Amino acid sequence: MPLPQLTIYRHDLRNRSLITLAGEIDLESAPLVRAVLARCLSDGIRIVDVDLTVVTFCDCSGLNAFLYASQRTTEAGGILQLHNPPSTLGRILDLTGCGFLLLGPPLGHLPPSLEDAPAPAVPAPPHRTAPLVAVVSGDVR
């Protein structure tokens, strides 16, 4: 049986980033999620949208990574929002009551105020679309 994978794509435009996750987020792959979200902050990104449309599973370790990243983003004066969470994460958000901290509108329905956010004081990296990580979750240590 093949090991599950988590693939992470990052698309930046000025001070905003769209992170698209595909696969499973669990105890072994959650550190990858945490690392890519922390990298956004270190690169000067202050608005982070996380698209979970093609995530097939997310457990509480994934939720922990998102909550940690959300707290750090807020402390830096930014916003982190999850979009289109899988049913497993939706259930955890309902049970814990913390959905209001993380959930944003469906992608394509973002408020204009976020789309027109001013550029940060820190220069943002150049525009790019590239897969950042394609790792078998069993290889993460």
Side-chain angles (χ1 to χ4, degrees):
M1 179 167 137
L3 294 172
Q5 286 189 345
L6 176 66
T7 304
I8 301 171
Y9 294 92
R10 178 175 161 184
H11 176 83
D12 293 343
L13 185 59
R14 293 190 312 223
N15 69 328
R16 185 176 205 142
S17 187
L18 173 63
I19 306 297
T20 303
L21 304 176
E24 296 185 2
I25 305 170
D26 56 20
L27 186 60
E28 292 186 23
S29 61
L32 295 172
V33 174
R34 189 180 283 217
V36 76
L37 296 174
R39 180 65 187 259
C40 286
L41 286 179
S42 68
D43 288 346
I45 301 295
R46 293 300 176 257
I47 300 172
V48 181
D49 294 297
V50 182
D51 182 10
L52 302 170
T53 303
V54 289
V55 169
T56 55
F57 176 79
C58 183
D59 65 11
C60 58
S61 57
L63 172 61
N64 186 37
F66 292 129
L67 288 170
Y68 180 82
S70 177
Q71 181 179 5
R72 296 296 168 262
T73 303
T74 300
E75 290 170 355
I79 299 167
L80 181 137
Q81 292 186 319
L82 305 182
H83 305 276
N84 309 312
S87 59
T88 53
L89 181 57
R91 178 102 170 109
I92 294 170
L93 291 170
D94 286 343
L95 290 171
T96 60
C98 62
F100 74 96
L101 295 170
L102 296 170
L103 293 178
L107 289 173
H109 297 91
L110 298 176
S113 62
L114 292 182
E115 291 176 1
D116 298 328
V122 178
H127 173 73
R128 68 176 178 219
T129 301
L132 291 181
V133 180
V135 176
V136 175
S137 65
D139 291 342
V140 179
R141 300 206 192 280

